[in-house]
Amino acid sequence: MCSGCLDGLNLTVRPARKAFQRVAIGMAGLALLLFPAVANARELRVCADPNNMPFSNAAGQGFENRIAEIVATDLGAKLTYTWWAQRRGFIRNTLKAGLCDLVPGTPANLEMLRTTTPYYRSSYVFVTRQGGPDVTSFNDPRLQELRIGVQLIGDDGANSPPVQALGRRGIVGHLIGYPVYGDYSAPNPPARIVEAVANGEIDLAVVWGPLAGYFAQRQKVPLRITPVTPRIDGPQLPLMYDISMGVRREDDALRGDVNSALARHKAEIDAVLARYGVPRLDMAGRPAR
């Protein structure tokens, strides 16, 4: 090939090379602008139980999972989880250990946390079969003769508020305890107490409302759910609770952001709670049935 031909070829390649270099430099500058934004993208780190339906599970099927998704989307944040069984030490080992930043489903004004504005209110409920005893109060004398299922809280089987309310009335002889946490090798351990009513193992159960409402819908026989009365038994035994989300006590910024998201999406959150059968005491002055 002649030298002139080579010179001609070089004349066409060099401008193209310079143009390519300019594009490459421009792309590199764009990458420098974009990568820090990706690296600093917001993350909503949630503490939750991996096997605690209807509230949460590792598959994201609980109503607290759904509500956390709503909040994360509103905040433009990536939703991630720290999974930990909700037993003694749950808050200490997750939120306070810095593994996560937000705990859904906490009673309002829980001292160890700073809680958001409540997004629903529920209570313990009586669960019976349709056609069974229509008990509405702890003062019903029929409770003295019924086989009553009660929830036991914690690894040590501590008494739940309904157990204390029944005990105050001397109703102790026919109580059958069902651990809230149950056997984690099986799915949905909290469902056992509701299943016991459906299969006739017990006559009546006193169960935390959201759990009762969800699992009652899934039984082969129709069940009745009735909020308990009194809802505050004596000066220091509430049987109804406002439910919030919790953050570390010093995390005012996250609390404010989550409060705003909960307010903006109230209708959507109410619809989620309704789909899961959560009995409400804050809807039109009466609970959902």
Side-chain angles (χ1 to χ4, degrees):
M1 185 177 292
C2 68
S3 59
C5 293
L6 289 174
D7 290 341
L9 182 61
N10 287 339
L11 288 174
T12 59
V13 169
R14 284 169 186 167
R17 182 179 299 164
K18 290 180 180 179
F20 175 79
Q21 289 172 343
R22 287 195 297 270
V23 171
I25 291 170
M27 292 296 291
L30 181 61
L32 289 174
L33 293 174
L34 291 179
F35 286 149
V38 172
N40 295 327
R42 187 167 189 177
E43 183 179 10
L44 184 64
R45 304 187 304 163
V46 171
C47 326
D49 191 310
N51 188 22
N52 190 31
M53 289 294 287
F55 308 100
S56 64
N57 68 8
Q61 297 170 323
F63 69 78
E64 297 291 4
N65 296 122
R66 307 298 189 203
I67 295 172
E69 291 170 5
I70 292 170
V71 172
T73 299
D74 181 273
L75 300 181
K78 177 184 178 182
L79 178 62
T80 62
Y81 283 97
T82 292
W83 299 113
W84 201 284
Q86 278 196 350
R87 306 191 180 196
R88 182 173 294 176
F90 173 76
I91 299 297
R92 182 181 69 252
N93 290 310
T94 57
L95 189 77
K96 290 194 172 183
L99 300 180
C100 44
D101 306 307
L102 183 69
V103 183
T106 63
N109 302 316
L110 189 65
E111 289 186 2
M112 65 179 65
L113 302 172
R114 185 165 176 78
T115 54
T116 65
T117 302
Y119 50 99
Y120 75 95
R121 175 185 298 160
S122 193
S123 72
Y124 282 91
V125 298
F126 294 115
V127 182
T128 58
R129 291 181 295 280
Q130 291 287 356
D134 56 344
V135 174
T136 62
S137 171
F138 286 112
N139 296 319
D140 192 315
R142 290 176 292 177
L143 291 174
Q144 296 283 353
E145 306 300 327
L146 297 177
R147 297 169 298 167
I148 303 172
V150 293
Q151 294 179 290
L152 302 179
I153 299 173
D155 297 329
D156 55 359
N159 288 342
S160 61
V163 175
Q164 297 177 53
L166 292 166
R168 287 180 175 182
R169 294 160 174 80
I171 304 170
V172 296
H174 302 284
L175 302 186
I176 301 172
Y178 294 83
V180 171
Y181 305 118
D183 179 4
Y184 257 61
S185 67
N188 303 327
R192 304 296 173 259
I193 189 170
V194 178
E195 294 168 353
V197 177
N199 64 30
E201 179 181 324
I202 53 180
D203 301 309
L204 173 147
V206 194
V207 185
W208 174 233
L211 191 155
Y214 179 79
F215 288 114
Q217 295 175 342
R218 285 155 177 76
Q219 304 308 309
K220 295 180 180 179
V221 300
L223 300 179
R224 178 194 296 119
I225 294 176
T226 307
V228 302
T229 57
R231 291 173 186 159
I232 299 178
D233 192 34
Q236 295 183 335
L237 186 62
L239 291 126
M240 67 175 182
Y241 298 90
D242 289 319
I243 301 301
S244 306
M245 295 189 179
V247 301
R248 280 179 287 277
R249 295 195 64 83
E250 66 275 12
D251 203 346
D252 288 335
L254 178 58
R255 178 180 181 270
D257 289 347
V258 173
N259 268 337
S260 297
L262 293 174
R264 281 191 289 267
H265 297 278
K266 183 180 185 304
E268 191 176 351
I269 291 168
D270 287 343
V272 170
L273 295 169
R275 286 200 303 272
Y276 282 76
V278 175
R280 302 281 297 273
L281 300 182
D282 57 332
M283 296 291 286
R286 63 181 184 181
R289 297 291 182 93

PDB file of all heavy atoms in Angstrom, residues 1-32:
ATOM      1  N   MET A   1       0.869  -1.187   0.000  1.00  0.00           N
ATOM      2  CA  MET A   1       0.000   0.000   0.000  1.00  0.00           C
ATOM      3  C   MET A   1       0.901   1.231   0.000  1.00  0.00           C
ATOM      4  O   MET A   1       1.883   1.295   0.717  1.00  0.00           O
ATOM      5  CB  MET A   1      -0.900  -0.010   1.227  1.00  0.00           C
ATOM      6  CG  MET A   1      -1.921   1.115   1.234  1.00  0.00           C
ATOM      7  SD  MET A   1      -3.020   1.035   2.645  1.00  0.00           S
ATOM      8  CE  MET A   1      -3.944  -0.428   2.295  1.00  0.00           C
ATOM      9  N   CYS A   2       0.550   2.257  -0.812  1.00  0.00           N
ATOM     10  CA  CYS A   2       1.380   3.445  -0.925  1.00  0.00           C
ATOM     11  C   CYS A   2       1.264   4.325   0.286  1.00  0.00           C
ATOM     12  O   CYS A   2       0.255   4.311   0.988  1.00  0.00           O
ATOM     13  CB  CYS A   2       0.996   4.219  -2.189  1.00  0.00           C
ATOM     14  SG  CYS A   2      -0.634   4.941  -2.104  1.00  0.00           S
ATOM     15  N   SER A   3       2.310   5.154   0.514  1.00  0.00           N
ATOM     16  CA  SER A   3       2.318   6.018   1.690  1.00  0.00           C
ATOM     17  C   SER A   3       1.234   7.075   1.617  1.00  0.00           C
ATOM     18  O   SER A   3       0.680   7.494   2.620  1.00  0.00           O
ATOM     19  CB  SER A   3       3.686   6.678   1.840  1.00  0.00           C
ATOM     20  OG  SER A   3       3.981   7.443   0.679  1.00  0.00           O
ATOM     21  N   GLY A   4       0.905   7.486   0.402  1.00  0.00           N
ATOM     22  CA  GLY A   4      -0.161   8.464   0.271  1.00  0.00           C
ATOM     23  C   GLY A   4      -1.488   7.948   0.755  1.00  0.00           C
ATOM     24  O   GLY A   4      -2.292   8.663   1.328  1.00  0.00           O
ATOM     25  N   CYS A   5      -1.715   6.649   0.434  1.00  0.00           N
ATOM     26  CA  CYS A   5      -2.980   6.049   0.899  1.00  0.00           C
ATOM     27  C   CYS A   5      -3.036   6.028   2.404  1.00  0.00           C
ATOM     28  O   CYS A   5      -4.077   6.289   3.016  1.00  0.00           O
ATOM     29  CB  CYS A   5      -3.093   4.641   0.340  1.00  0.00           C
ATOM     30  SG  CYS A   5      -3.294   4.594  -1.446  1.00  0.00           S
ATOM     31  N   LEU A   6      -1.905   5.704   3.030  1.00  0.00           N
ATOM     32  CA  LEU A   6      -1.871   5.672   4.494  1.00  0.00           C
ATOM     33  C   LEU A   6      -2.130   7.053   5.072  1.00  0.00           C
ATOM     34  O   LEU A   6      -2.840   7.213   6.055  1.00  0.00           O
ATOM     35  CB  LEU A   6      -0.514   5.150   4.971  1.00  0.00           C
ATOM     36  CG  LEU A   6      -0.261   3.663   4.735  1.00  0.00           C
ATOM     37  CD1 LEU A   6       1.161   3.310   5.125  1.00  0.00           C
ATOM     38  CD2 LEU A   6      -1.242   2.834   5.559  1.00  0.00           C
ATOM     39  N   ASP A   7      -1.523   8.074   4.427  1.00  0.00           N
ATOM     40  CA  ASP A   7      -1.744   9.433   4.923  1.00  0.00           C
ATOM     41  C   ASP A   7      -3.212   9.811   4.831  1.00  0.00           C
ATOM     42  O   ASP A   7      -3.781  10.444   5.717  1.00  0.00           O
ATOM     43  CB  ASP A   7      -0.895  10.418   4.122  1.00  0.00           C
ATOM     44  CG  ASP A   7       0.593  10.272   4.421  1.00  0.00           C
ATOM     45  OD1 ASP A   7       0.923   9.690   5.484  1.00  0.00           O
ATOM     46  OD2 ASP A   7       1.398  10.745   3.601  1.00  0.00           O
ATOM     47  N   GLY A   8      -3.827   9.423   3.747  1.00  0.00           N
ATOM     48  CA  GLY A   8      -5.247   9.724   3.602  1.00  0.00           C
ATOM     49  C   GLY A   8      -6.090   9.045   4.667  1.00  0.00           C
ATOM     50  O   GLY A   8      -7.037   9.603   5.199  1.00  0.00           O
ATOM     51  N   LEU A   9      -5.751   7.808   4.970  1.00  0.00           N
ATOM     52  CA  LEU A   9      -6.488   7.060   5.989  1.00  0.00           C
ATOM     53  C   LEU A   9      -6.326   7.726   7.346  1.00  0.00           C
ATOM     54  O   LEU A   9      -7.277   7.871   8.101  1.00  0.00           O
ATOM     55  CB  LEU A   9      -5.972   5.625   6.032  1.00  0.00           C
ATOM     56  CG  LEU A   9      -6.689   4.690   7.021  1.00  0.00           C
ATOM     57  CD1 LEU A   9      -8.156   4.561   6.667  1.00  0.00           C
ATOM     58  CD2 LEU A   9      -6.024   3.309   6.986  1.00  0.00           C
ATOM     59  N   ASN A  10      -5.103   8.161   7.659  1.00  0.00           N
ATOM     60  CA  ASN A  10      -4.860   8.816   8.956  1.00  0.00           C
ATOM     61  C   ASN A  10      -5.679  10.098   9.074  1.00  0.00           C
ATOM     62  O   ASN A  10      -6.131  10.454  10.160  1.00  0.00           O
ATOM     63  CB  ASN A  10      -3.386   9.143   9.107  1.00  0.00           C
ATOM     64  CG  ASN A  10      -2.554   7.884   9.360  1.00  0.00           C
ATOM     65  OD1 ASN A  10      -3.092   6.882   9.797  1.00  0.00           O
ATOM     66  ND2 ASN A  10      -1.267   7.947   9.060  1.00  0.00           N
ATOM     67  N   LEU A  11      -5.843  10.818   7.982  1.00  0.00           N
ATOM     68  CA  LEU A  11      -6.601  12.061   8.031  1.00  0.00           C
ATOM     69  C   LEU A  11      -8.044  11.813   8.443  1.00  0.00           C
ATOM     70  O   LEU A  11      -8.672  12.636   9.085  1.00  0.00           O
ATOM     71  CB  LEU A  11      -6.552  12.760   6.661  1.00  0.00           C
ATOM     72  CG  LEU A  11      -5.212  13.402   6.284  1.00  0.00           C
ATOM     73  CD1 LEU A  11      -5.265  13.914   4.839  1.00  0.00           C
ATOM     74  CD2 LEU A  11      -4.878  14.547   7.236  1.00  0.00           C
ATOM     75  N   THR A  12      -8.606  10.657   8.065  1.00  0.00           N
ATOM     76  CA  THR A  12     -10.000  10.368   8.418  1.00  0.00           C
ATOM     77  C   THR A  12     -10.124   9.750   9.791  1.00  0.00           C
ATOM     78  O   THR A  12     -11.117   9.938  10.469  1.00  0.00           O
ATOM     79  CB  THR A  12     -10.620   9.427   7.379  1.00  0.00           C
ATOM     80  OG1 THR A  12      -9.856   8.208   7.344  1.00  0.00           O
ATOM     81  CG2 THR A  12     -10.607  10.076   6.004  1.00  0.00           C
ATOM     82  N   VAL A  13      -9.109   9.023  10.274  1.00  0.00           N
ATOM     83  CA  VAL A  13      -9.198   8.335  11.558  1.00  0.00           C
ATOM     84  C   VAL A  13      -8.997   9.286  12.712  1.00  0.00           C
ATOM     85  O   VAL A  13      -9.682   9.226  13.721  1.00  0.00           O
ATOM     86  CB  VAL A  13      -8.169   7.182  11.619  1.00  0.00           C
ATOM     87  CG1 VAL A  13      -8.056   6.644  13.038  1.00  0.00           C
ATOM     88  CG2 VAL A  13      -8.569   6.080  10.657  1.00  0.00           C
ATOM     89  N   ARG A  14      -8.070  10.218  12.590  1.00  0.00           N
ATOM     90  CA  ARG A  14      -7.733  11.056  13.729  1.00  0.00           C
ATOM     91  C   ARG A  14      -8.923  11.888  14.233  1.00  0.00           C
ATOM     92  O   ARG A  14      -9.182  11.955  15.429  1.00  0.00           O
ATOM     93  CB  ARG A  14      -6.551  11.954  13.366  1.00  0.00           C
ATOM     94  CG  ARG A  14      -5.231  11.205  13.372  1.00  0.00           C
ATOM     95  CD  ARG A  14      -4.124  12.010  12.771  1.00  0.00           C
ATOM     96  NE  ARG A  14      -2.908  11.226  12.669  1.00  0.00           N
ATOM     97  CZ  ARG A  14      -1.848  11.589  11.963  1.00  0.00           C
ATOM     98  NH1 ARG A  14      -1.891  12.728  11.266  1.00  0.00           N
ATOM     99  NH2 ARG A  14      -0.792  10.819  11.922  1.00  0.00           N
ATOM    100  N   PRO A  15      -9.685  12.563  13.353  1.00  0.00           N
ATOM    101  CA  PRO A  15     -10.855  13.292  13.857  1.00  0.00           C
ATOM    102  C   PRO A  15     -11.854  12.361  14.540  1.00  0.00           C
ATOM    103  O   PRO A  15     -12.446  12.714  15.550  1.00  0.00           O
ATOM    104  CB  PRO A  15     -11.443  13.926  12.597  1.00  0.00           C
ATOM    105  CG  PRO A  15     -10.293  14.009  11.656  1.00  0.00           C
ATOM    106  CD  PRO A  15      -9.452  12.797  11.920  1.00  0.00           C
ATOM    107  N   ALA A  16     -12.045  11.149  13.998  1.00  0.00           N
ATOM    108  CA  ALA A  16     -12.977  10.210  14.607  1.00  0.00           C
ATOM    109  C   ALA A  16     -12.506   9.809  15.995  1.00  0.00           C
ATOM    110  O   ALA A  16     -13.290   9.681  16.939  1.00  0.00           O
ATOM    111  CB  ALA A  16     -13.120   8.967  13.715  1.00  0.00           C
ATOM    112  N   ARG A  17     -11.157   9.604  16.124  1.00  0.00           N
ATOM    113  CA  ARG A  17     -10.602   9.229  17.422  1.00  0.00           C
ATOM    114  C   ARG A  17     -10.842  10.328  18.441  1.00  0.00           C
ATOM    115  O   ARG A  17     -11.203  10.090  19.583  1.00  0.00           O
ATOM    116  CB  ARG A  17      -9.116   8.941  17.279  1.00  0.00           C
ATOM    117  CG  ARG A  17      -8.449   8.487  18.563  1.00  0.00           C
ATOM    118  CD  ARG A  17      -6.974   8.211  18.317  1.00  0.00           C
ATOM    119  NE  ARG A  17      -6.807   7.153  17.317  1.00  0.00           N
ATOM    120  CZ  ARG A  17      -5.676   6.918  16.679  1.00  0.00           C
ATOM    121  NH1 ARG A  17      -4.626   7.701  16.879  1.00  0.00           N
ATOM    122  NH2 ARG A  17      -5.597   5.937  15.804  1.00  0.00           N
ATOM    123  N   LYS A  18     -10.651  11.595  18.018  1.00  0.00           N
ATOM    124  CA  LYS A  18     -10.863  12.710  18.931  1.00  0.00           C
ATOM    125  C   LYS A  18     -12.339  12.809  19.343  1.00  0.00           C
ATOM    126  O   LYS A  18     -12.668  13.083  20.494  1.00  0.00           O
ATOM    127  CB  LYS A  18     -10.406  14.009  18.272  1.00  0.00           C
ATOM    128  CG  LYS A  18      -8.900  14.106  18.107  1.00  0.00           C
ATOM    129  CD  LYS A  18      -8.510  15.406  17.453  1.00  0.00           C
ATOM    130  CE  LYS A  18      -6.999  15.497  17.294  1.00  0.00           C
ATOM    131  NZ  LYS A  18      -6.601  16.751  16.623  1.00  0.00           N
ATOM    132  N   ALA A  19     -13.217  12.564  18.394  1.00  0.00           N
ATOM    133  CA  ALA A  19     -14.644  12.605  18.719  1.00  0.00           C
ATOM    134  C   ALA A  19     -15.005  11.519  19.730  1.00  0.00           C
ATOM    135  O   ALA A  19     -15.752  11.736  20.672  1.00  0.00           O
ATOM    136  CB  ALA A  19     -15.474  12.443  17.442  1.00  0.00           C
ATOM    137  N   PHE A  20     -14.443  10.312  19.501  1.00  0.00           N
ATOM    138  CA  PHE A  20     -14.695   9.212  20.433  1.00  0.00           C
ATOM    139  C   PHE A  20     -14.202   9.561  21.831  1.00  0.00           C
ATOM    140  O   PHE A  20     -14.840   9.291  22.831  1.00  0.00           O
ATOM    141  CB  PHE A  20     -14.013   7.938  19.916  1.00  0.00           C
ATOM    142  CG  PHE A  20     -14.112   6.788  20.883  1.00  0.00           C
ATOM    143  CD1 PHE A  20     -15.274   6.051  20.970  1.00  0.00           C
ATOM    144  CD2 PHE A  20     -13.052   6.460  21.712  1.00  0.00           C
ATOM    145  CE1 PHE A  20     -15.367   4.999  21.857  1.00  0.00           C
ATOM    146  CE2 PHE A  20     -13.125   5.423  22.594  1.00  0.00           C
ATOM    147  CZ  PHE A  20     -14.289   4.679  22.673  1.00  0.00           C
ATOM    148  N   GLN A  21     -13.004  10.194  21.877  1.00  0.00           N
ATOM    149  CA  GLN A  21     -12.458  10.560  23.180  1.00  0.00           C
ATOM    150  C   GLN A  21     -13.348  11.562  23.895  1.00  0.00           C
ATOM    151  O   GLN A  21     -13.557  11.478  25.106  1.00  0.00           O
ATOM    152  CB  GLN A  21     -11.047  11.130  22.996  1.00  0.00           C
ATOM    153  CG  GLN A  21     -10.015  10.083  22.607  1.00  0.00           C
ATOM    154  CD  GLN A  21      -8.679  10.704  22.253  1.00  0.00           C
ATOM    155  OE1 GLN A  21      -8.590  11.909  21.991  1.00  0.00           O
ATOM    156  NE2 GLN A  21      -7.637   9.881  22.234  1.00  0.00           N
ATOM    157  N   ARG A  22     -13.900  12.504  23.122  1.00  0.00           N
ATOM    158  CA  ARG A  22     -14.785  13.479  23.747  1.00  0.00           C
ATOM    159  C   ARG A  22     -16.041  12.800  24.308  1.00  0.00           C
ATOM    160  O   ARG A  22     -16.500  13.113  25.393  1.00  0.00           O
ATOM    161  CB  ARG A  22     -15.176  14.567  22.738  1.00  0.00           C
ATOM    162  CG  ARG A  22     -14.051  15.544  22.423  1.00  0.00           C
ATOM    163  CD  ARG A  22     -14.596  16.772  21.724  1.00  0.00           C
ATOM    164  NE  ARG A  22     -15.184  16.434  20.431  1.00  0.00           N
ATOM    165  CZ  ARG A  22     -14.501  16.428  19.293  1.00  0.00           C
ATOM    166  NH1 ARG A  22     -13.208  16.731  19.286  1.00  0.00           N
ATOM    167  NH2 ARG A  22     -15.114  16.141  18.158  1.00  0.00           N
ATOM    168  N   VAL A  23     -16.599  11.840  23.564  1.00  0.00           N
ATOM    169  CA  VAL A  23     -17.783  11.107  24.038  1.00  0.00           C
ATOM    170  C   VAL A  23     -17.456  10.304  25.289  1.00  0.00           C
ATOM    171  O   VAL A  23     -18.208  10.270  26.259  1.00  0.00           O
ATOM    172  CB  VAL A  23     -18.319  10.188  22.923  1.00  0.00           C
ATOM    173  CG1 VAL A  23     -19.409   9.272  23.475  1.00  0.00           C
ATOM    174  CG2 VAL A  23     -18.861  11.017  21.775  1.00  0.00           C
ATOM    175  N   ALA A  24     -16.269   9.638  25.251  1.00  0.00           N
ATOM    176  CA  ALA A  24     -15.886   8.815  26.390  1.00  0.00           C
ATOM    177  C   ALA A  24     -15.713   9.660  27.639  1.00  0.00           C
ATOM    178  O   ALA A  24     -16.140   9.288  28.734  1.00  0.00           O
ATOM    179  CB  ALA A  24     -14.586   8.069  26.078  1.00  0.00           C
ATOM    180  N   ILE A  25     -15.096  10.832  27.473  1.00  0.00           N
ATOM    181  CA  ILE A  25     -14.912  11.719  28.623  1.00  0.00           C
ATOM    182  C   ILE A  25     -16.265  12.205  29.150  1.00  0.00           C
ATOM    183  O   ILE A  25     -16.516  12.257  30.350  1.00  0.00           O
ATOM    184  CB  ILE A  25     -14.019  12.914  28.228  1.00  0.00           C
ATOM    185  CG1 ILE A  25     -12.590  12.425  27.972  1.00  0.00           C
ATOM    186  CG2 ILE A  25     -14.020  13.986  29.312  1.00  0.00           C
ATOM    187  CD1 ILE A  25     -11.698  13.486  27.349  1.00  0.00           C
ATOM    188  N   GLY A  26     -17.176  12.498  28.210  1.00  0.00           N
ATOM    189  CA  GLY A  26     -18.508  12.930  28.632  1.00  0.00           C
ATOM    190  C   GLY A  26     -19.250  11.844  29.395  1.00  0.00           C
ATOM    191  O   GLY A  26     -19.899  12.101  30.400  1.00  0.00           O
ATOM    192  N   MET A  27     -19.142  10.585  28.922  1.00  0.00           N
ATOM    193  CA  MET A  27     -19.792   9.470  29.602  1.00  0.00           C
ATOM    194  C   MET A  27     -19.206   9.256  30.988  1.00  0.00           C
ATOM    195  O   MET A  27     -19.911   8.961  31.953  1.00  0.00           O
ATOM    196  CB  MET A  27     -19.655   8.195  28.770  1.00  0.00           C
ATOM    197  CG  MET A  27     -20.453   8.230  27.469  1.00  0.00           C
ATOM    198  SD  MET A  27     -22.231   8.334  27.757  1.00  0.00           S
ATOM    199  CE  MET A  27     -22.520   6.690  28.445  1.00  0.00           C
ATOM    200  N   ALA A  28     -17.894   9.404  31.089  1.00  0.00           N
ATOM    201  CA  ALA A  28     -17.245   9.242  32.391  1.00  0.00           C
ATOM    202  C   ALA A  28     -17.736  10.305  33.368  1.00  0.00           C
ATOM    203  O   ALA A  28     -17.997  10.029  34.541  1.00  0.00           O
ATOM    204  CB  ALA A  28     -15.730   9.322  32.245  1.00  0.00           C
ATOM    205  N   GLY A  29     -17.903  11.539  32.872  1.00  0.00           N
ATOM    206  CA  GLY A  29     -18.419  12.595  33.747  1.00  0.00           C
ATOM    207  C   GLY A  29     -19.839  12.311  34.186  1.00  0.00           C
ATOM    208  O   GLY A  29     -20.205  12.543  35.337  1.00  0.00           O
ATOM    209  N   LEU A  30     -20.653  11.786  33.254  1.00  0.00           N
ATOM    210  CA  LEU A  30     -22.027  11.425  33.605  1.00  0.00           C
ATOM    211  C   LEU A  30     -22.051  10.332  34.660  1.00  0.00           C
ATOM    212  O   LEU A  30     -22.856  10.364  35.599  1.00  0.00           O
ATOM    213  CB  LEU A  30     -22.774  10.972  32.347  1.00  0.00           C
ATOM    214  CG  LEU A  30     -24.250  10.581  32.534  1.00  0.00           C
ATOM    215  CD1 LEU A  30     -25.056  11.774  33.043  1.00  0.00           C
ATOM    216  CD2 LEU A  30     -24.833  10.070  31.224  1.00  0.00           C
ATOM    217  N   ALA A  31     -21.154   9.361  34.507  1.00  0.00           N
ATOM    218  CA  ALA A  31     -21.091   8.275  35.491  1.00  0.00           C
ATOM    219  C   ALA A  31     -20.723   8.809  36.866  1.00  0.00           C
ATOM    220  O   ALA A  31     -21.257   8.369  37.883  1.00  0.00           O
ATOM    221  CB  ALA A  31     -20.073   7.229  35.043  1.00  0.00           C
ATOM    222  N   LEU A  32     -19.815   9.780  36.917  1.00  0.00           N
ATOM    223  CA  LEU A  32     -19.434  10.359  38.206  1.00  0.00           C
ATOM    224  C   LEU A  32     -20.609  11.060  38.857  1.00  0.00           C
ATOM    225  O   LEU A  32     -20.735  11.097  40.082  1.00  0.00           O
ATOM    226  CB  LEU A  32     -18.285  11.356  38.011  1.00  0.00           C
ATOM    227  CG  LEU A  32     -16.930  10.727  37.658  1.00  0.00           C
ATOM    228  CD1 LEU A  32     -15.915  11.820  37.335  1.00  0.00           C
ATOM    229  CD2 LEU A  32     -16.418   9.861  38.810  1.00  0.00           C
TER     230      LEU A  32
END
